[in-house]
Amino acid sequence: MIASWAENALMRPTVGQKLKKLVIFTIIAVLVIHFRNVAFNLTPTLPVLHTPLQHPSPCDPIQLPTALDYNGQIWENWIYLEHTFKKFEPHMELKRRDFPHGQTVRPTVQMLSHFLNMTHPDAERMRHTHEELVEKLPEYPDNVYEGRGIVMVAGGRYSEYSATTLGMLRLLGSRLPVEVWLKDSSEEEEGWCDELAEEGISCRYMSDYLGEMTAFVHPYQYKIAAMYFSSFEEMLFLDSDSIPVKAPDAIFDAPAYQETGIVLWPDYWVSTESPWLPYIIGESLEESTSVHNITTVDSGQMLWDKKRHWKVNRHVRSGSYQANALPQTLCLSAYYNYWGPKYFYTLITQGGAGWGDKDTFPTALRALSLNYTQIPHRLETQHYNKGNDQPTGSGMAMLQADPSDLDDFQPLFLHSNFIKFSVRRLMCTNCTEMPSALTEIQRKKDDAVFFVGQVHNRKHANWNALNHWKRIFAIQGKGGLNHLGMLDTERDIWRVLERLACVGVWSDEDLCQRTKRHLKLTFGIGESWRGAKQEGCSWLS
């Protein structure tokens, strides 16, 4: 009995042995947690990859632009214009077909000449129609337009992209007033326009000005309508996805703009215009027999002085317009867009890349022999992050240059034509309903990740970055942010997305928490917008 008790006592662990086991267990547990976190990148060690975060200083309220009178002179001019456009309707329809010869290889004259079924009598008749139309366009309306500002078209999912662009404008310190144009009130996210008004941004409805009379039913036609009815005499037009990387206010004073009154930016694509186009618009006396060295434009950003490019006295000589004239470029662009889907979009591109409004603007300038500033720099491409901060080789956005410096490429706009910076598009996990503004055709075409979020779509290029708290933008090498000194751009975009996800009409608790986490773990900064607000300046921390 005593021997059995002694044997059990020897087998029972002492207090010291218990402590030793506890210490060993604790060390093992800590190591397991550490290696799990390293494996899943839950607590990454973040290098300092950005300059210190600077919050905007308090600012005075930005005055809202005054809307043009619905029934005033500009409305009377539009009634006259629409009547004139209908009177000089193109006599034939050019149906859109896809131009089969690519986007970046310059096509031959033979390719271009045989694509449209247009005869010399067809072109001659349209040339005469065009010539008469230009003679009937109205004079510039004095005392109607005033000041400088930004014009943008939104609506449907484009409102979410616009919200990001507008947020960047104010975050970067832009003081320019803005007009956001919607097709009608049904396209406004409830309460959004009230929020924008606090930041010097006004909503406008095209239906208030166009009524039910217009043929402007295609989205490509909305741009010219917004430009025409905007209250600004000098305007910077921005697409909803053309995001500034610095405040653009100073470009109105750039010599490149002051000299000509218009600045246009280049696109990737080569021109596929019909050889009959120069003849029809009065630029040549016959069908073109050579391939024009024409750079197509990216109309995602345009700087435009309405008064300088409207109309003064001009006459026709030898079938072409005198070079010293200053005719109504904006009105002629409106004519091309009014009949764009039926005729001019296809005449200008023959169904090639860029079918739509974008090249109607330089075409009007060519037709009237007017000088304008074409940014001389070839646009740069921002690439996706391969995962190690190196570029993938796949472009995600176009970088457009600042016209203030025509000798050295300095980025001003990030035209995000592939990736769309909507917080729902990137991070949403419970957006199951499609926006009512989308048509059935758009629903079929639209990428499903818009509704479930790229954070959950393993097939999307951004999935790895969003799930491992890495940058979407490449940093190193050509095609990376460092190449053009834009290291803070993606961080600032996420600051805007954080605010949209957490405060206001786009807010959602799930989106908010996910966006905060991404901002913290990717860029090493905490909550950058905490809801503090001062009148007229809500981008305060």
Side-chain angles (χ1 to χ4, degrees):
M1 183 71 124
I2 294 174
S4 177
W5 176 87
E7 184 179 350
N8 290 337
L10 289 173
M11 295 178 62
R12 188 179 301 146
T14 65
V15 173
Q17 289 174 322
K18 289 182 179 180
L19 288 174
K20 185 177 180 179
K21 288 183 178 180
L22 180 61
V23 169
I24 293 173
F25 176 80
T26 302
I27 292 173
I28 293 173
V30 169
L31 289 174
V32 168
I33 293 172
H34 172 73
F35 285 115
R36 187 195 65 179
N37 288 347
V38 170
F40 289 95
N41 198 27
L42 293 177
T43 55
T45 301
L46 292 166
V48 179
L49 293 177
H50 51 72
T51 58
L53 193 64
Q54 299 293 327
H55 296 302
S57 58
C59 59
D60 296 326
I62 300 173
Q63 185 174 355
L64 288 170
T66 302
L68 299 182
D69 185 358
Y70 301 161
N71 300 311
Q73 183 180 354
I74 198 66
W75 168 247
E76 294 175 1
N77 273 20
W78 178 252
I79 295 296
Y80 172 80
L81 273 176
E82 187 154 36
H83 172 78
T84 304
F85 292 168
K86 289 178 178 178
K87 181 178 179 181
F88 294 100
E89 178 180 357
H91 68 283
M92 64 184 297
E93 181 175 3
L94 298 178
K95 293 185 178 180
R96 179 183 183 182
R97 294 186 295 150
D98 290 334
F99 193 76
H101 301 294
Q103 299 179 355
T104 57
V105 178
R106 191 169 297 281
T108 64
V109 177
Q110 186 176 14
M111 292 176 186
L112 296 172
S113 298
H114 293 84
F115 192 70
L116 290 182
N117 296 319
M118 181 175 288
T119 64
H120 188 280
D122 291 330
E124 177 68 29
R125 183 176 176 183
M126 189 60 216
R127 176 186 173 94
H128 181 68
T129 298
H130 187 276
E131 192 173 280
E132 286 191 316
L133 175 277
V134 172
E135 288 295 314
K136 299 296 183 182
L137 297 179
E139 302 284 349
Y140 181 78
D142 291 324
N143 304 316
V144 173
Y145 301 117
E146 62 179 0
R148 295 171 170 177
I150 296 173
V151 178
M152 185 178 295
V153 174
R157 65 184 183 276
Y158 295 101
S159 292
E160 297 188 41
Y161 312 155
S162 298
T164 305
T165 299
L166 294 169
M168 280 291 282
L169 280 167
R170 292 299 182 245
L171 181 66
L172 295 170
S174 174
R175 302 279 297 158
L176 289 168
V178 183
E179 291 181 349
V180 175
W181 285 81
L182 305 164
K183 183 179 179 182
D184 52 46
S185 59
S186 69
E187 292 205 328
E188 178 193 347
E189 187 78 10
E190 186 176 357
W192 186 43
C193 290
D194 291 336
E195 289 182 2
L196 294 179
E198 297 178 5
E199 298 175 17
I201 302 169
S202 292
C203 287
R204 302 275 188 263
Y205 302 132
M206 294 183 195
S207 57
D208 290 340
Y209 296 88
L210 296 175
E212 298 179 356
M213 300 174 57
T214 185
F216 279 13
V217 294
H218 196 288
Y220 286 137
Q221 298 171 303
Y222 296 164
K223 184 175 297 184
I224 189 67
M227 294 171 69
Y228 180 84
F229 287 110
S230 165
S231 65
F232 304 123
E233 185 170 277
E234 298 179 76
M235 59 186 168
L236 169 62
F237 181 90
L238 287 180
D239 271 357
S240 60
D241 57 0
S242 187
I243 302 173
V245 300
K246 61 183 177 182
D249 304 38
I251 64 175
F252 284 97
D253 298 316
Y257 169 67
Q258 291 292 323
E259 289 173 8
T260 64
I262 290 180
V263 177
L264 299 178
W265 279 260
D267 208 334
Y268 292 115
W269 305 322
V270 299
S271 174
T272 55
E273 70 178 36
S274 168
W276 284 115
L277 176 64
Y279 179 74
I280 288 171
I281 65 176
E283 188 182 30
S284 67
L285 298 178
E286 58 186 10
E287 180 186 11
S288 175
T289 57
S290 62
V291 176
H292 288 281
N293 186 25
I294 296 172
T295 301
T296 60
V297 304
D298 168 20
S299 62
Q301 50 284 308
M302 294 185 289
L303 196 57
W304 199 287
D305 185 333
K306 290 181 183 176
K307 188 173 185 178
R308 290 178 64 182
H309 282 272
W310 198 282
K311 182 178 181 179
V312 295
N313 292 330
R314 174 205 36 76
H315 62 272
V316 177
R317 182 181 63 190
S318 301
S320 62
Y321 307 110
Q322 281 192 320
N324 61 354
L326 191 58
Q328 53 288 19
T329 320
L330 194 65
C331 293
L332 187 55
S333 298
Y335 174 67
Y336 294 158
N337 280 277
Y338 193 89
W339 295 115
K342 175 181 177 178
Y343 187 84
F344 282 102
Y345 292 166
T346 301
L347 181 69
I348 292 171
T349 66
Q350 301 200 94
W355 187 92
D357 65 85
K358 73 187 200 74
D359 285 302
T360 61
F361 301 98
T363 299
L365 289 159
R366 288 168 51 196
L368 302 170
S369 301
L370 294 176
N371 292 327
Y372 63 97
T373 300
Q374 172 81 43
I375 295 294
H377 307 292
R378 180 177 176 82
L379 61 88
E380 298 276 354
T381 301
Q382 173 62 50
H383 289 252
Y384 286 103
N385 183 1
K386 189 184 293 185
N388 58 355
D389 295 334
Q390 297 293 328
T392 61
S394 298
M396 58 177 282
M398 305 157 68
L399 288 171
Q400 296 288 12
D402 188 338
S404 301
D405 188 350
L406 297 184
D407 296 324
D408 185 27
F409 186 103
Q410 297 295 328
L412 180 59
F413 300 110
L414 179 87
H415 193 174
S416 49
N417 48 346
F418 285 102
I419 181 173
K420 303 301 183 184
F421 283 99
S422 152
V423 70
R424 293 202 306 167
R425 186 178 180 90
L426 290 170
M427 304 294 281
C428 194
T429 60
N430 56 9
C431 299
T432 56
E433 294 184 3
M434 292 191 178
S436 59
L438 294 181
T439 65
E440 188 62 32
I441 294 177
Q442 287 171 316
R443 288 179 182 138
K444 291 178 180 178
K445 288 183 177 180
D446 199 38
D447 190 346
V449 302
F450 175 69
F451 302 110
V452 300
Q454 294 171 11
V455 70
H456 278 337
N457 188 339
R458 289 177 176 268
K459 295 181 180 179
H460 200 277
N462 293 331
W463 181 86
N464 183 64
L466 293 172
N467 279 272
H468 294 89
W469 300 289
K470 298 180 181 295
R471 290 173 178 262
I472 295 174
F473 292 26
I475 298 176
Q476 308 300 335
K478 187 173 177 61
L481 292 175
N482 266 348
H483 174 62
L484 293 168
M486 291 172 44
L487 193 54
D488 293 340
T489 297
E490 185 181 355
R491 180 203 66 186
D492 289 342
I493 291 174
W494 278 100
R495 291 177 64 198
V496 173
L497 293 176
E498 179 205 7
R499 184 210 178 188
L500 295 173
C502 300
V503 181
V505 299
W506 310 104
S507 62
D508 174 271
E509 183 60 28
D510 177 63
L511 287 180
C512 180
Q513 294 307 315
R514 285 179 171 274
T515 308
K516 285 180 182 295
R517 186 168 177 80
H518 185 81
L519 188 62
K520 180 178 181 180
L521 296 180
T522 304
F523 302 98
I525 58 176
E527 190 173 27
S528 65
W529 196 90
R530 292 186 287 275
K533 182 179 292 188
Q534 179 171 319
E535 183 181 0
C537 194
S538 51
W539 288 101
L540 300 174
S541 296

